[in-house]
Amino acid sequence: QVQLVESGGGLVQAGGSLRLSCAVSGIIFSINGMGWYRQDPGKERELVAFIGSGSNTYYADSVKGRFTISRDNAKNTVYLQMNSLKPDDTAVYFCNIYPANSNWGKGTLVTVSS
């Protein structure tokens, strides 16, 4: 069963940066596409960024040009570099395979103050 442990969240001022990490185990990481998702209270979880096994990427329009997803197959880890953060980016961030399955980690909270 896949296990996902997100880290790197925190409180940051608008315009600041954070780098999220997600350690993955229980799957053959290198052959799986991975996604970063986020959820605001009262809202549905949304896909923020995706990286395929061939390192092809996709970004939601709301984060394009500000966020960068990457992966290290040797470390079974996927990253999300978040720059120029906005208050609207405040959410709990999760990683999962793509398409996502029902096995979610605890996520990491990102709070962006104005």
Side-chain angles (χ1 to χ4, degrees):
Q1 187 177 7
V2 60
Q3 293 185 326
L4 307 154
V5 180
E6 301 92 346
S7 62
L11 173 63
V12 64
Q13 288 188 332
S17 298
L18 284 173
R19 188 193 194 206
L20 306 184
S21 299
C22 174
V24 183
S25 60
I27 59 170
I28 304 174
F29 178 77
S30 61
I31 66 171
N32 277 274
M34 295 297 302
W36 278 99
Y37 306 77
R38 67 185 181 188
Q39 186 169 25
D40 239 353
K43 296 184 180 179
E44 288 192 2
R45 199 168 297 178
E46 62 173 348
L47 177 67
V48 173
F50 158 82
I51 186 165
S53 58
S55 294
N56 51 306
T57 57
Y58 158 86
Y59 298 94
D61 286 344
S62 57
V63 306
K64 201 172 294 183
R66 301 187 296 121
F67 290 11
T68 303
I69 189 170
S70 61
R71 64 190 298 157
D72 186 336
N73 289 340
K75 296 182 178 179
N76 284 11
T77 300
V78 60
Y79 304 97
L80 187 68
Q81 177 67 43
M82 306 187 296
N83 299 329
S84 302
L85 282 161
K86 305 175 180 179
D88 283 350
D89 296 318
T90 295
V92 179
Y93 285 72
F94 303 85
C95 70
N96 204 326
I97 61 172
Y98 182 87
N101 65 17
S102 60
N103 189 28
W104 296 92
K106 295 182 178 180
T108 186
L109 176 62
V110 172
T111 304
V112 185
S113 63
S114 56

